[in-house]
């Protein structure tokens, strides 16, 4: 949990808006440090968290969360965290063996044209089963779904439409139905001005997701070039509905990632400069 | 996590018979000691050497076990192939196991071209020398009078010490001797030997073969500790080229653009759960789709791109006369930590010398070279001046002189 980011977003573990769809995106940069912030924030806020860790192993997230003061293994044991380790599950699908009966969450790898329904089913069954079913020993807060990251689904063959459908269904279930939050990371690689006619899949995904969300954090490199002390800039954009129209508020910050967190500051006020 | 250092048990250390004192360095029982590896100073990950010491420095000390290094090939695949051979030769010297897959050349041919290591204390197979006993009166000439404590040590350092070094040097003009090479266990995957019907099957056949080797030879982290642990070095040559059945490099809009990326995802899954490290070369200059190249890069942990000057106009450019090509670091991983160690310089150039592959920052344009180039074009009566200058100087060219700011 990055305290400076909390003050920028006006969130604390005790008070945060519910029903939010937060989009983390980056362009030729790496926004995964923000996922760790939200993971530790919601775990500290005693929310029930579902984490689809599709790109890294559990130990990676666990090691970083340890530095941020949260233990993922403990949260898993207590039932607060439900973790889908995409890498592990995918192996049983990619290299099929006869005696395998793993979870079908990554089943779309067999035939990506089918779509991401199996992944959504995983989310839905784990989300709704905890609602009904047997009484929970501990009372957790509102549910939160974190996805790291959506663009890898495009690399694995899913179409942009399927990924947008998946995010829409997740938002409908978690945000509207269960009054929880959804945080998704989408990565983009090209320059913004380029319009590759047929491709630009990740661009279309990013645009579609930006339309659906209520808060975006867009990470980019510095427009003036590479700097060792300032790792990039973050553009925070609130898209709130006020009556009929939408009220958007944008703020720009520069950031530097440390070993145990990240610091955010107004452009030009880096400690290396002042 | 790549190679969790603390979860694998450590084989008992053998007390070297050549210690002069009885003190033994106290090692934490949780650390494993596999020859040819060392823990990283940043986050304790297990690192192996790529065979090129300057590349090790660029990657933050070495290649982390459980990660993939992507090398974007240069145009004629000369230097990327060289780095792959360095990587495999380092595996032979450190007594790791090798897995080589290629579609173009037979992996055995690649293994026969490995460069010879420069070891002062030669071979791995030489029997360990026994320490000289002090009761040998005929060596009175050699008997030490001042440093008599070292009398018992052998004159030549044994092979035990050389294998514990991290990163070796190789002589490119000689090939590795067959005895040294055959000491290492190699698994080969030559695509024409595995006939497949569709394109997607060649990558899945490779993935399946990799998993078989990992499980059979015990590189799985979850496998029970029956014998001492070793590292599997995987070298995959020219993935994405047409010989693998992939049309990524042939068409602008490939039919199955996700075949290679799905393979890389499965490779990452295999590596994160085993004690292995992979180097993959991809002919990126043939892949037109930049976004696809971006997703390939993101699915690998480390990524560098080589751009050689061979055949281009830069070969004769006096600015680059000391170097063979440019090296771009596309990605450095940050596994198990938030911040990654980015290289200080972004302009890097490499040169392949006989005994070393050096990677250096491209030095600033020296002023006297600038003057000599100006004189050249003045003699040729050229009105226009085209120079490649690094962006650190501002300059203004007027009729009579050039001002540098």
């Amino acid at each position: 949990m990055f305290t400076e980011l909390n003050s920028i977003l006006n969130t604390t573990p005790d008070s945060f808006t519910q029903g939010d769809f937060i989009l983390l995106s980056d362009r030729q940069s790496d926004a995964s440090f923000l996922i760790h912030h939200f993971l530790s924030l919601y775990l500290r806020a005693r929310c029930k968290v579902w984490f689809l860790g599709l790109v890294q192993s559990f130990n990676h997230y666990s090691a970083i969360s340890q530095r941020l003061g949260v233990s993922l293994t403990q949260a898993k044991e207590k039932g607060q965290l439900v973790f889908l380790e995409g890498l592990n599950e995918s192996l049983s699908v990619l290299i099929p063996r006869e005696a395998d009966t793993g979870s079908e969450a990554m089943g779309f790898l067999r035939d990506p044209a089918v779509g991401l329904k199996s992944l959504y089913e995983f989310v839905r069954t784990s989300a709704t089963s905890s609602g009904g079913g047997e009484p929970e020993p501990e009372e957790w807060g509102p549910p939160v779904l974190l996805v790291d990251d959506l663009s890898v689904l495009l690399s694995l063959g899913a179409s942009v439409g399927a990924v947008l459908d998946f995010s829409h269904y997740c938002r409908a279930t978690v945000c509207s139905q269960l009054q929880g939050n959804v945080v998704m990371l989408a990565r983009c690689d090209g320059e913004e001005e380029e319009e590759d006619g047929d491709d630009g899949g990740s661009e279309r995904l990013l645009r579609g997701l930006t339309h659906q969300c209520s808060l975006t954090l867009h990470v980019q490199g510095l427009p003036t070039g590479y700097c060792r002390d300032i790792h990039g800039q973050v553009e925070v954009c609130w898209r709130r509905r006020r009556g009929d129209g939408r009220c958007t508020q944008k703020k720009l910050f520069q950031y530097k990632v440390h070993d145990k967190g990240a610091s955010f500051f107004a452009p030009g006020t880096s400690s290396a400069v002042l | 996590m790549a190679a969790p250092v603390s979860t694998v048990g450590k084989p008992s250390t053998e007390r070297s018979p050549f210690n002069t004192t009885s003190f033994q360095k106290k090692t934490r029982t949780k650390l494993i000691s596999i020859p040819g590896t060392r823990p990283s100073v940043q986050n304790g990950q297990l690192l192996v050497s790529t065979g090129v010491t300057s590349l090790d420095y660029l990657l933050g000390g070495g290649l982390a076990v459980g990660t993939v290094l992507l090398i974007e090939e240069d145009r004629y695949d000369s230097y990327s192939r060289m780095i792959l051979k360095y990587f495999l030769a380092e595996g032979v010297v450190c007594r790791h196991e090798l897995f080589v897959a290629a579609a173009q050349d037979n992996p055995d041919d690649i293994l026969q071209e490995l460069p010879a290591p420069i070891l002062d204390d030669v071979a791995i197979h030489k029997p360990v020398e026994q320490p000289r006993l002090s009761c040998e009166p005929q060596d009175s000439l050699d008997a030490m009078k001042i440093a008599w404590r070292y009398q018992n040590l052998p004159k030549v350092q044994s092979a035990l010490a050389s294998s514990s070094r991290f990163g070796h040097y190789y002589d490119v003009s000689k090939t590795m001797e067959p005895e040294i090479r055959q000491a290492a266990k190699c698994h080969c995957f030559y695509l024409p030997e595995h006939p497949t019907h569709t394109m997607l099957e060649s990558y899945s056949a490779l993935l399946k073969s990799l998993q078989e080797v990992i499980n059979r030879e015990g590189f799985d982290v979850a496998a029970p500790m029956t014998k001492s642990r070793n590292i599997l070095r995987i070298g995959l040559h020219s993935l994405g080229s047409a010989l693998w059945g992939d049309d990524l490099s042939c068409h602008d809009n490939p039919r199955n653009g996700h075949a290679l990326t799905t393979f890389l995802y499965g490779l990452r899954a295999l590596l994160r759960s085993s004690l292995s490290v992979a180097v993959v070369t991809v002919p990126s200059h043939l892949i037109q789709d930049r976004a696809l190249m971006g997703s390939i890069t993101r699915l690998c942990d480390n990524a560098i791109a080589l751009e050689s000057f061979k055949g281009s106009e830069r070969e004769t450019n006096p600015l680059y006369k000391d170097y063979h090509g440019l090296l771009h670091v596309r990605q450095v991983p940050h596994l198990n930590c938030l911040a990654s160690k980015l290289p200080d310089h972004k302009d890097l150039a490499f040169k392949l010398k006989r005994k070393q592959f050096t990677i250096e920052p491209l030095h600033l344009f020296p002023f006297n070279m600038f003057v000599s180039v100006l004189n050249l074009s003045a003699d040729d009566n050229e009105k226009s001046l085209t120079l490649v200058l690094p962006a650190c100087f501002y300059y203004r060219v007027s009729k009579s002189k050039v001002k540098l700011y």
Side-chain angles (χ1 to χ4, degrees):
Chain A
M1 189 171 76
F2 309 149
T3 39
E4 282 165 359
L5 188 57
N6 274 343
S7 54
I8 291 171
L9 297 176
N10 259 334
T11 53
T12 61
D14 305 316
S15 75
F16 51 88
T17 45
Q18 287 183 323
D20 259 354
F21 182 16
I22 301 171
L23 175 69
L24 310 172
S25 56
D26 62 34
R27 185 180 298 278
Q28 292 178 340
S29 188
D30 193 356
S32 42
F33 68 100
L34 292 172
I35 276 273
H36 299 293
H37 158 78
F38 282 105
L39 178 61
S40 53
L41 170 72
Y42 288 122
L43 280 177
R44 275 197 205 189
R46 296 183 54 84
C47 294
K48 183 94 197 271
V49 177
W50 289 281
F51 194 100
L52 304 184
L54 300 173
V55 278
Q56 298 285 3
S57 59
F58 176 74
N59 288 328
H60 167 78
Y61 298 109
S62 177
I64 298 184
S65 299
Q66 201 84 38
R67 291 184 198 217
L68 296 179
V70 170
S71 169
L72 289 194
T73 16
Q74 267 184 12
K76 231 166 102 162
E77 279 164 23
K78 284 192 282 182
Q80 189 188 7
L81 172 69
V82 174
F83 193 94
L84 171 72
E85 191 167 351
L87 288 173
N88 254 351
E89 307 281 334
S90 66
L91 266 185
S92 53
V93 177
L94 287 173
I95 312 174
R97 279 180 290 194
E98 299 78 28
D100 264 342
T101 49
S103 99
E104 273 301 309
M106 303 292 286
F108 69 92
L109 285 171
R110 256 181 234 120
D111 186 12
V114 165
L116 295 166
K117 189 147 185 266
S118 49
L119 194 58
Y120 168 67
E121 286 297 320
F122 170 81
V123 172
R124 194 181 63 86
T125 45
S126 36
T128 49
S129 68
S130 59
E134 70 279 358
E136 293 261 322
E138 292 203 44
E139 271 300 314
W140 301 116
V144 177
L145 172 70
L146 291 138
V147 182
D148 178 21
D149 65 68
L150 278 185
S151 320
V152 78
L153 296 171
L154 288 179
S155 309
L156 294 173
S159 66
V160 177
V163 180
L164 283 173
D165 287 343
F166 169 74
S167 69
H168 175 76
Y169 272 79
C170 287
R171 187 167 74 109
T173 311
V174 180
C175 291
S176 314
Q177 215 175 7
L178 300 172
Q179 289 300 308
N181 286 358
V182 175
V183 180
M184 292 195 176
L185 172 63
R187 307 189 65 182
C188 199
D189 214 46
E191 296 292 324
E192 203 162 336
E193 300 86 35
E194 272 176 33
E195 273 290 335
D196 293 88
D198 207 20
D199 192 78
S202 46
E203 294 280 346
R204 276 187 285 146
L205 175 65
L206 196 57
R207 264 184 249 136
L209 287 172
T210 316
H211 187 69
Q212 291 181 17
C213 67
S214 53
L215 171 66
T216 60
L217 284 99
H218 187 61
V219 176
Q220 268 181 310
L222 289 178
T224 45
Y226 172 66
C227 173
R228 225 177 345 146
D229 294 309
I230 306 173
H231 292 159
Q233 66 185 32
V234 180
E235 192 179 353
V236 185
C237 184
W238 287 269
R239 311 163 76 86
R240 288 200 198 92
R241 276 205 190 89
R242 297 263 170 90
D244 289 324
R246 287 212 134 185
C247 167
T248 21
Q249 188 192 7
K250 283 193 189 178
K251 275 195 190 167
L252 186 70
F253 295 94
Q254 289 176 346
Y255 71 92
K256 179 173 181 181
V257 181
H258 307 299
D259 205 28
K260 295 205 174 200
S263 54
F264 295 80
F265 36 86
T269 60
S270 156
S271 55
V273 169
L274 292 177
Chain B
M1 177 163 99
V5 174
S6 56
T7 56
V8 187
K10 169 188 88 86
S12 58
T13 53
E14 289 156 5
R15 174 145 168 220
S16 166
F18 308 124
N19 273 344
T20 51
T21 70
S22 62
F23 286 116
Q24 207 174 356
K25 194 165 142 188
K26 189 174 174 190
T27 49
R28 283 166 40 203
T29 48
K30 287 207 165 176
L31 282 177
I32 47 173
S33 58
I34 306 177
T37 66
R38 70 171 176 197
S40 155
V41 291
Q42 285 150 20
N43 45 17
Q45 274 177 332
L46 207 58
L47 298 178
V48 295
S49 169
T50 53
V52 181
T53 35
S54 26
L55 187 59
D56 285 342
Y57 173 71
L58 268 186
L59 298 175
L63 206 50
V65 174
T67 59
V68 182
L69 167 65
L70 172 76
I71 302 178
E72 295 185 28
E73 292 175 4
D74 52 311
R75 197 165 289 271
Y76 305 108
D77 189 26
S78 36
Y79 298 104
S80 45
R81 200 187 165 98
M82 197 66 235
I83 296 187
L84 187 66
K85 285 192 278 186
Y86 272 120
F87 176 72
L88 297 171
E90 182 73 24
V92 172
V93 170
C94 297
R95 300 191 226 179
H96 298 157
E97 283 192 33
L98 304 181
F99 182 103
V100 188
Q104 182 181 351
D105 308 302
N106 199 323
D108 290 322
D109 294 340
I110 299 180
L111 287 170
Q112 271 169 13
E113 294 170 9
L114 296 185
I118 304 173
L119 291 171
D120 305 320
D121 21 8
V122 177
I124 319 244
H125 274 311
K126 246 191 181 174
V128 167
E129 280 193 26
Q130 297 302 317
R132 283 187 308 136
L133 300 168
S134 54
C135 57
E136 278 177 322
Q138 47 270 55
D139 296 306
S140 54
L141 281 172
D142 291 339
M144 299 187 187
K145 294 206 169 43
I146 297 174
W148 49 272
R149 268 202 201 280
Y150 301 98
Q151 186 86 31
N152 293 341
L153 290 182
K155 281 185 186 157
V156 179
Q157 236 185 340
S158 74
L160 275 174
S162 70
S163 64
S164 62
R165 226 173 73 196
F166 188 83
H168 298 85
Y169 292 98
Y170 298 89
D171 189 344
V172 177
S173 55
K174 304 184 203 140
T175 50
M176 193 182 270
E177 281 158 37
E179 305 96 51
I180 308 181
R181 193 182 61 242
Q182 273 144 22
K185 204 164 173 192
C186 306
H187 309 271
C188 294
F189 182 96
Y190 184 36
L191 187 65
E193 287 168 12
H194 299 252
T196 52
H197 299 291
T198 71
M199 164 195 30
L200 297 174
E201 284 183 17
S202 54
Y203 289 134
S204 14
L206 175 58
L207 201 63
K208 196 164 175 185
S209 168
L210 264 174
Q211 195 191 40
E212 272 172 28
V213 168
I214 288 178
N215 289 338
R216 196 177 61 219
E217 306 288 329
F219 292 107
D220 218 352
V221 168
M225 279 273 306
T226 48
K227 49 178 182 161
S228 59
R229 304 293 251 181
N230 205 352
I231 304 275
L232 177 68
R233 286 190 183 227
I234 304 169
L236 306 175
H237 181 248
S238 221
L239 289 185
S241 74
L243 290 165
W244 283 95
D246 211 344
D247 59 352
L248 279 184
S249 19
C250 311
H251 295 134
D252 276 342
N253 301 314
R255 249 179 313 124
N256 286 316
H258 60 267
L260 178 58
T261 41
T262 314
F263 168 77
L264 288 174
Y265 189 78
L267 180 68
R268 177 184 271 199
L270 273 180
L271 291 183
R272 293 286 197 267
S273 56
S274 63
L275 284 174
S276 39
V277 62
V279 168
V280 175
T281 69
V282 168
S284 65
H285 53 96
L286 294 174
I287 298 177
Q288 302 299 324
D289 192 349
R290 290 289 99 198
L292 181 59
M293 208 52 232
S295 41
I296 292 175
T297 307
R298 276 202 298 269
L299 279 168
C300 302
D301 307 292
N302 305 276
I304 62 172
L306 296 173
E307 186 188 331
S308 88
F309 297 146
K310 249 191 234 172
S312 77
E313 71 222 345
R314 289 176 175 178
E315 206 172 356
T316 47
N317 192 328
L319 177 63
Y320 299 121
K321 70 172 164 54
D322 290 329
Y323 302 108
H324 285 145
L326 297 178
L327 187 141
H328 309 278
V329 177
R330 297 265 191 246
Q331 189 170 261
V332 177
H334 54 95
L335 290 176
N336 304 332
C337 58
L338 273 173
S340 58
K341 186 174 181 311
L342 295 163
D344 289 338
H345 303 270
K346 284 239 146 172
D347 305 307
L348 298 162
F350 66 86
K351 185 178 177 77
L352 175 63
K353 297 192 256 196
R354 186 164 77 94
K355 294 200 177 179
Q356 205 184 5
F357 185 99
T358 46
I359 302 171
E360 293 169 355
L362 195 57
H363 291 293
L364 290 183
F365 198 41
F367 188 72
N368 47 4
M369 190 185 292
F370 182 85
V371 169
S372 60
V373 172
L374 259 181
N375 286 336
L376 265 174
S377 32
D379 288 341
D380 293 341
N381 275 334
E382 278 187 28
K383 295 251 164 64
S384 64
L385 206 62
T386 46
L387 287 174
V388 177
L389 285 178
C392 46
F393 284 133
Y394 291 97
Y395 62 94
R396 174 193 284 171
V397 180
S398 60
K399 272 190 222 149
S400 54
K401 58 186 173 177
V402 174
K403 255 191 180 174
L404 286 164
Y405 297 98

